[in-house]
Amino acid sequence: MKDRILVTGFEPFGGDRLNPSREVARQLDGRRVAGHAIVGRCLPCAFGAALPALQSLIGEVRPGIVIALGLAGSRAAVAIERVAVNLIDARIADNAGAQPIDEPVIAGAPAAYFASLPVKAIHAGLREAGIACEVSHSAGTFVCNQVFFALMHRLRAWPEAKGGFIHLPPLPEHAALHPGGRPMALEEQVRAVELAVAVALTRPVAAHGSTGSID
Ligand code: PCA
């Protein structure tokens, strides 16, 4: 099943009605990119339920590439995440009312993992396509980071599969709820993730110019 690509989004959270990541995963479900079928699914935004859902999807789909998506309401661009940390520090309660503080995602696991997607090649590909994007070095400490970390932990045993996480900016309908972000239309978000899949299929994790920062 290595020709399958799993794209996950999240249900809305924090009192929101919308989550672009869920809509993007929905729209990509069933699409084919270079002969590879995308399976788009939605994860619950709850610490207790998200990982079992992710694990059963990976077991069922047995994908060669996993791209997990989530909303980052304060972002002005598509953020390709590079690092997942083994830390949960929830600023708000999840959809089940849980708000764990200073707990590991997986006790005894390393402090962090890097995405195994070609992060910089995806960044370059999106920029060439005129899509606002950035490489990010923190996926936060909420459910998205938890899923990203658990995904990379799981893929250690499966090195031929690539995985990573992309945070999406708010939708235009969202603008009032997320004044810190810069909205991006759903069609552009879908195009961005489809392009990320295409790049991940064709490009190795190779060196590119710096996308780092000093502080
Ligand atoms: N964003 C949250 C969790 C679900 C989502 O879409 C986050 O960034 O952790």
Side-chain angles (χ1 to χ4, degrees), residues 148-202:
F148 182 19
F149 186 88
L151 169 65
M152 299 320 301
H153 187 74
R154 169 81 188 254
L155 294 186
R156 275 183 333 164
W158 206 344
E160 66 279 16
K162 293 187 215 170
F165 198 97
I166 296 178
H167 262 123
L168 300 170
L171 295 166
E173 304 88 303
H174 248 158
L177 253 180
H178 298 287
R182 188 185 315 140
M184 184 182 280
L186 179 60
E187 304 76 68
E188 192 168 4
Q189 300 202 20
V190 171
R191 197 161 65 89
V193 177
E194 194 171 23
L195 194 51
V197 169
V199 173
L201 279 168
T202 53

Side-chain angles (χ1 to χ4, degrees), residues 19 28 31 37 53 59 65 70 82 84 107 110 115 126 143 171 181 184 187 189 191 207 212:
N19 191 325
L28 289 178
R31 271 197 210 179
I65 293 175
R82 210 168 183 190
L126 266 59
V143 187
L171 295 166
M184 184 182 280
E187 304 76 68
Q189 300 202 20
R191 197 161 65 89

